[in-house]
Amino acid sequence: MRKPELLVTPHSISHLEQLIEAGADAFLVGEQQFGLRLAGEFSIEDIEESVALAHAANKKIYVAMNALYHNDRVESLRPYMERLASLGVDGVTFGDPAVIMVKREAGIEIPLHWNTEMTATNWFTANYWGRRGANRAVLARELSMDEVIEIKENAEVAIEIQVHGMTCMFQSKRSLLGNYFLYQDKAMEVENRTKNKNMFLHDKERFNKYPIYEDLNGTHIFSPNDMCMIDELSDLMEAGIDSFKIDGVLQEPTYVTKVTNLYRQGIDAYMDSPSKYESIKSKLLLEIEEMQPELRPLDTGFFFKETVY
């Protein structure tokens, strides 16, 4: 059995260094001009430094280019991808086919990870994009455990899933927050995500609070709960899932670092012996529960929800 990759989204270069020590295998970085819902903003200079740090520790750097590119942004894709290739990044996450077109036209040799968020739901489509240049599919968070395993059994590409963190429920290209404040005769600038991370939509009927922020790519609304699969890794490990992602968006760096180390312990224990993992998984979950923010209840996402057709 091959050990799955532990992929984490760092907040900064210093945080990346901490995550290397915590046991992460790979990192997803980028900037909001090209990528969606990243934990931190990484300029091209930051990415260059990140590649050097990660490769020195035998880790990998992936760059998020999963935004939707309207005509005003397309011209910037080729120089950006050429620069990334020259830096030796280990892959690019994309959803817009423009990324594939630029890669072909420029003759850029860089691995592609297909990620269309909620629509990456079956192995047939994953294989379709695999035949067009992608070597990994990032599955939608709305899939059950059985569906994830079925996709892995039939996929011709590597499979990445999220195992921890919040999930984006809604994105609009419109500046919904800015428009709302303008309606109230108040001004609101589009700020860095870290400055408005404490904004919530309140649903009084469901007693839920949905984190929300606005950036260059529009408005993003997240789930009221954090996914946590640290005590449910057995089936995923047995199925041979290639990459487990911990999403650190809107979380504190120290929290992400501690969670990464706990998942490292869980994965390593299973690789030593499934029974060893079974003996410690409850303890690992308890440690996360004890440090979990009060506003972010834990659940297992859609993994064990019944699919209704």
Side-chain angles (χ1 to χ4, degrees), residues 12 38-39 44 59 65 73 114-115 121 126 131 137 142 155 164 262 273 281-282 290 297 302:
S12 62
L38 291 159
I44 198 71
K59 311 293 184 180
M65 294 187 66
R73 293 205 216 176
W114 174 64
N115 179 14
T121 58
R131 290 189 289 271
E142 293 80 11
H164 197 94
L262 293 173
S273 164
K281 67 178 187 180
S282 296
E290 288 176 346
F302 286 81

XYZ file of all heavy atoms in Angstrom, residues 12 38-39 44 59 65 73 114-115 121 126 131 137 142 155 164 262 273 281-282 290 297 302:
185
model
N 1.429 31.460 4.971
C 2.587 32.293 4.672
C 3.809 31.393 4.525
O 3.737 30.178 4.759
C 2.826 33.299 5.806
O 3.102 32.605 7.017
N -7.727 30.594 -1.179
C -6.466 30.156 -0.598
C -6.326 30.676 0.830
O -6.864 31.728 1.172
C -5.299 30.632 -1.455
C -5.219 29.942 -2.818
C -4.404 30.769 -3.797
C -4.634 28.547 -2.666
N -5.594 29.936 1.650
C -5.416 30.341 3.039
C -4.601 31.625 3.150
O -4.793 32.423 4.069
C -4.740 29.214 3.820
N 4.554 35.713 -6.763
C 5.462 34.853 -7.523
C 6.806 34.736 -6.814
O 7.455 33.684 -6.847
C 5.626 35.366 -8.976
C 6.197 34.271 -9.875
C 6.458 36.632 -9.017
C 5.256 33.144 -10.163
N 9.661 17.988 -0.283
C 8.212 18.214 -0.331
C 7.835 18.817 -1.681
O 8.706 19.164 -2.485
C 7.782 19.160 0.796
C 8.323 18.794 2.165
C 7.754 17.496 2.696
C 8.246 17.230 4.120
N 7.712 15.955 4.667
N -4.483 27.639 -9.812
C -4.924 28.448 -10.949
C -6.354 28.039 -11.294
O -6.709 27.857 -12.451
C -3.983 28.254 -12.141
C -2.578 28.788 -11.913
S -1.555 28.714 -13.403
C -2.424 29.904 -14.449
N -8.391 38.519 -18.245
C -7.325 37.850 -17.485
C -6.547 36.825 -18.314
O -5.500 36.360 -17.893
C -7.925 37.130 -16.269
C -8.499 38.047 -15.210
C -8.473 37.337 -13.871
N -9.632 37.661 -13.073
C -9.884 37.115 -11.889
N -9.073 36.207 -11.394
N -10.951 37.467 -11.207
N -6.901 18.570 -12.164
C -8.238 19.037 -12.551
C -9.108 19.234 -11.318
O -9.287 18.334 -10.513
C -8.887 18.015 -13.486
C -10.304 18.321 -13.835
C -10.770 19.401 -14.536
C -11.457 17.541 -13.495
N -12.144 19.338 -14.656
C -12.594 18.211 -14.034
C -11.644 16.341 -12.801
C -13.882 17.714 -13.886
C -12.931 15.851 -12.655
C -14.028 16.536 -13.190
N -9.659 20.449 -11.159
C -10.485 20.756 -9.997
C -11.578 21.745 -10.389
O -11.322 22.939 -10.531
C -9.632 21.350 -8.873
C -10.455 21.715 -7.660
O -11.602 21.300 -7.532
N -9.883 22.497 -6.760
N -17.417 14.881 -10.003
C -18.219 13.903 -9.259
C -18.204 12.494 -9.832
O -18.910 11.625 -9.318
C -19.691 14.376 -9.199
O -20.181 14.553 -10.539
C -19.823 15.683 -8.438
N -13.318 12.544 -14.886
C -11.929 12.640 -14.438
C -10.987 12.054 -15.485
O -9.934 12.635 -15.797
C -11.765 11.910 -13.106
N -7.072 12.403 -20.086
C -6.603 12.208 -21.457
C -6.272 13.525 -22.151
O -5.687 13.532 -23.230
C -7.663 11.435 -22.251
C -7.800 9.979 -21.811
C -8.688 9.197 -22.750
N -10.098 9.591 -22.639
C -10.957 9.037 -21.788
N -10.553 8.080 -20.954
N -12.219 9.433 -21.756
N -7.251 14.304 -10.290
C -8.591 14.873 -10.166
C -8.847 15.183 -8.701
O -8.620 14.346 -7.828
C -9.641 13.903 -10.692
N -18.991 16.953 -2.064
C -20.366 16.490 -1.851
C -20.550 15.011 -2.187
O -21.673 14.568 -2.437
C -21.332 17.335 -2.688
C -21.432 18.783 -2.250
C -20.286 19.652 -2.765
O -19.518 19.180 -3.629
O -20.167 20.794 -2.298
N -10.626 5.274 -11.836
C -9.917 6.453 -12.340
C -8.565 6.081 -12.934
O -7.851 5.220 -12.410
C -9.735 7.471 -11.230
N -10.218 17.588 5.848
C -10.387 18.475 7.004
C -10.550 19.922 6.547
O -9.923 20.355 5.568
C -9.182 18.376 7.941
C -9.454 18.921 9.314
N -9.862 18.127 10.351
C -9.418 20.188 9.807
C -10.052 18.870 11.443
N -9.787 20.137 11.122
N -1.460 15.953 13.690
C -2.324 14.854 14.135
C -2.675 13.920 12.974
O -2.681 12.691 13.138
C -3.593 15.417 14.775
C -3.385 16.162 16.100
C -4.671 16.823 16.550
C -2.868 15.206 17.180
N 0.416 -0.256 10.881
C -0.540 -1.333 11.136
C -1.932 -0.733 11.289
O -2.118 0.188 12.096
C -0.165 -2.084 12.422
O -1.232 -2.871 12.879
N -7.057 6.440 17.006
C -7.873 7.397 16.250
C -8.817 8.197 17.140
O -9.062 9.395 16.887
C -8.635 6.685 15.137
C -9.717 5.713 15.597
C -10.430 5.099 14.397
C -11.616 4.256 14.827
N -12.313 3.664 13.650
N -9.368 7.593 18.184
C -10.263 8.316 19.085
C -9.516 9.410 19.828
O -10.051 10.515 20.055
C -10.928 7.356 20.072
O -11.751 6.433 19.395
N -10.843 19.288 21.213
C -10.479 20.163 22.325
C -9.967 21.520 21.863
O -10.091 22.512 22.589
C -9.428 19.473 23.202
C -9.994 18.311 24.020
C -8.925 17.576 24.801
O -7.726 17.792 24.502
O -9.283 16.794 25.703
N -18.332 23.763 14.552
C -18.571 22.359 14.926
C -17.960 21.415 13.889
O -17.836 21.749 12.715
C -20.108 22.256 14.933
C -20.607 23.657 14.994
C -19.576 24.502 14.326
N -19.984 15.073 3.686
C -20.972 14.270 2.960
C -20.599 12.786 2.901
O -21.305 12.003 2.281
C -21.131 14.794 1.528
C -21.904 16.080 1.444
C -21.293 17.289 1.700
C -23.250 16.087 1.099
C -21.989 18.486 1.626
C -23.968 17.271 1.024
C -23.331 18.470 1.283
